[in-house]
Amino acid sequence: MLCAEKIGKRFGARVVLRGLSFEVLPRNAVAIVGANGAGKSTLLKIVCGLMAASVGKIAWRENGEISGRELGQMCGLAAPDAPLPRELTALENLEFLARLRGLNCERETLLAHLDKWHLRARANDFAGDLSSGLRARLGLAAATLHSPKILLLDEPGANLDSDGRALLQNALLAQRQIGITLVATNDAREADLCDARIEVGANRN
Amino acid sequence: MSERPGDSHFSNVAWRSWRSWRFNSGAWQAARAVFVRDWHGEWRTRAALNSALLFAVAAPLALSFNVANQKLAPETLGGALWSVLLFAALVGLSRAFIKEEESGTAALLKLSAPPEAVLWGKMAFNLALLALTQIAAVPIFIVLLNAQVESPSVLLATLILGDVGLAATSTLLGAMAAQARARGALFSAIAVPVLLPLLVTASAATSTAFGARGDANLALVAIAAYDAAMLAAAWMLFDFVWSA
């Protein structure tokens, strides 16, 4: 399970997160809710190691404790401020990520994964040429490519149409067989797909 | 996993670097992926290559107008060649990391790739960019400035060793500068002083290749020592720079 103990984050004099503790059990999905600027995206970045917490500790506990870079390698992140290279095609992006992570890079395997997100027909289009909704789907396809134990989604449905939202719902269900999901959102429909909520920014001064 | 030897900061740094080198078996595949992706991206936009090539060709052309019909001393030619190559490199090499920060894709790399894969992949890309620039720039320089190459092997060895030093230094400093707001200016400001020893020795070796008196071997050994120092520094420090 994922355990956070008294996580705090400060940017200069501005306190974003203060004393945040939670546990997420395997197969659970948790929504992170809060006002704009409350620290939802910051918390996701702290979980995957892209940002260091000012205080506190976060770790995966399962036959021992995993934290730091090893914890980051267990994560898949789909976020608007972590985009994919626009100069690569959708298929090249997945191939690049597969090679980085030492996964199966066979074309058919990657095309099948794109197909899950209804992107097969756009496999050879540059990511920069896709609409914002299709780019969001590609980001979700990239985040789930390595079947991460911890799936981190930042406003995942922001640009998705009804078809995209249905695919997102399927992905959240599938993730329950693999590990946990943290969804930073202000959308009640996305929060309702989760088992529990963490409200950030509620105890700030 | 074996115990980490020693408690000093230096031994911690060295041990982390060694451990990542020794035990991360997928790092080379990932480094190749970083190189191929950068190469694809560069080939499609040609942003860094065009800037470097333009400078590397325009500078000797401008010089040749000013020194038309004059025979320049080998020492001057050596200095001029490396000044052109250095500034052409500064134009293009910093892009490897700056574009990652500007486009937001640095987060993806940090999350998906081991740091050593990013280091060696980016360094190989910078080396390829330098080699391509020099394949175009050096013959143009030699022709336009009427340079006589007395020792092609020394010139070739200087260019190869100089490129390794330039690539190693610019990769490490590019990663540092990319974290700052004034990225482009910072890269040049920190790169020039660090590259000065390389510039001086490479100019001396190149002057010898153009016919100046002096011991080319001594200069080549000095460049090789610089390369070894910068490669070691990049290998040991990159993890901290990239994770900052």
Side-chain angles (χ1 to χ4, degrees):
Chain A
M1 68 179 163
L2 184 71
C3 302
E5 291 169 10
K6 296 179 179 173
I7 296 288
K9 183 64 185 175
R10 173 188 288 273
F11 294 100
R14 190 164 60 88
V15 177
V16 176
L17 300 171
R18 184 193 292 272
L20 189 63
S21 298
F22 60 86
E23 290 179 352
V24 184
L25 297 170
R27 298 169 186 262
N28 275 16
V30 173
I32 302 166
V33 297
N36 293 148
K40 303 187 291 294
S41 303
T42 301
L43 179 59
L44 293 189
K45 285 178 185 169
I46 290 171
V47 171
C48 66
L50 284 176
M51 194 178 275
S54 304
V55 290
K57 182 181 172 185
I58 194 147
W60 179 266
R61 288 185 186 144
E62 182 185 14
N63 305 323
E65 192 171 284
I66 300 169
S67 60
R69 181 166 294 148
E70 285 77 17
L71 180 64
Q73 286 170 352
M74 294 169 65
C75 297
L77 172 71
D81 52 358
L84 296 166
R86 297 170 69 93
E87 71 277 10
L88 299 185
T89 66
L91 184 60
E92 284 171 348
N93 262 303
L94 291 198
E95 192 178 358
F96 173 53
L97 286 171
R99 286 189 193 284
L100 288 184
R101 291 188 179 273
L103 306 173
N104 181 357
C105 307
E106 282 176 26
R107 186 183 163 83
E108 275 312 310
T109 309
L110 299 177
L111 282 172
H113 189 69
L114 281 177
D115 207 21
K116 283 186 199 168
W117 293 93
H118 297 179
L119 283 169
R120 193 182 181 113
R122 309 298 298 270
N124 294 316
D125 288 2
F126 290 116
D129 291 344
L130 296 175
S131 69
S132 54
L134 292 181
R135 265 206 304 279
R137 286 192 202 189
L138 182 59
L140 289 162
T144 53
L145 181 66
H146 59 296
S147 305
K149 275 202 166 178
I150 305 169
L151 182 60
L152 307 171
L153 305 176
D154 192 357
E155 307 282 0
N159 290 304
L160 295 180
D161 57 14
S162 56
D163 180 42
R165 284 183 177 276
L167 294 172
L168 173 64
Q169 194 169 345
N170 290 342
L172 288 175
L173 282 173
Q175 179 64 19
R176 287 180 186 276
Q177 305 304 314
I178 304 167
I180 66 166
T181 311
L182 296 182
V183 186
T185 185
N186 279 319
D187 187 324
R189 290 171 296 179
E190 286 167 12
D192 287 343
L193 295 173
C194 300
D195 306 295
R197 294 180 189 209
I198 298 168
E199 187 161 356
V200 294
N203 58 345
R204 275 190 294 168
N205 287 335
Chain B
M1 191 182 294
S2 55
E3 286 297 311
R4 192 164 60 187
D7 288 320
S8 72
H9 177 66
F10 179 79
S11 62
N12 279 348
V13 170
W15 177 245
R16 279 181 69 173
S17 301
W18 166 248
R19 201 179 58 176
S20 64
W21 171 277
R22 174 70 182 77
F23 295 109
N24 204 332
S25 59
W28 289 110
Q29 186 192 351
R32 187 170 167 268
V34 171
F35 172 79
V36 170
R37 173 253 163 149
D38 275 11
W39 189 250
H40 270 152
E42 179 56 33
W43 197 246
R44 281 167 187 164
T45 61
R46 293 192 179 88
L49 192 61
N50 281 349
S51 309
L53 273 176
L54 191 68
F55 187 89
V57 172
L61 197 65
L63 270 175
S64 72
F65 282 120
N66 289 316
V67 297
N69 303 321
Q70 289 180 40
K71 179 76 179 164
L72 294 177
E75 291 82 358
T76 311
L77 286 169
L81 177 60
W82 275 97
S83 298
V84 169
L85 295 180
L86 173 73
F87 287 107
L90 291 182
V91 170
L93 294 185
S94 61
R95 296 294 309 160
F97 283 99
I98 289 176
K99 76 171 182 197
E100 302 287 2
E101 292 294 338
E102 286 177 348
S103 63
T105 50
L108 178 87
L109 270 183
K110 285 177 180 171
L111 204 56
S112 312
E116 64 270 22
V118 178
L119 169 68
W120 300 122
K122 294 280 183 190
M123 200 182 292
F125 170 73
N126 277 344
L127 201 55
L129 199 64
L130 276 170
L132 259 186
T133 307
Q134 292 182 1
I135 285 169
V138 174
I140 290 172
F141 181 92
I142 290 170
V143 170
L144 290 177
L145 296 175
N146 301 316
Q148 295 289 322
V149 183
E150 305 282 336
S151 176
S153 58
V154 169
L155 180 62
L156 190 63
T158 309
L159 288 172
I160 291 170
L161 287 173
D163 282 358
V164 171
L166 266 176
T169 308
S170 58
T171 304
L172 179 61
L173 299 183
M176 288 168 73
Q179 318 279 340
R181 282 201 181 125
R183 299 177 177 109
L186 181 65
F187 176 73
S188 301
I190 57 177
V192 170
V194 178
L195 285 169
L196 205 58
L198 177 67
L199 188 65
V200 170
T201 46
S203 298
T206 308
S207 302
T208 314
F210 286 145
R213 285 185 182 177
D215 187 355
N217 287 336
L218 194 64
L220 289 173
V221 168
I223 301 171
Y226 178 94
D227 290 358
M230 290 314 300
L231 284 168
W235 176 45
M236 285 166 55
L237 298 176
F238 185 79
D239 195 355
F240 297 91
V241 172
W242 184 236
S243 306

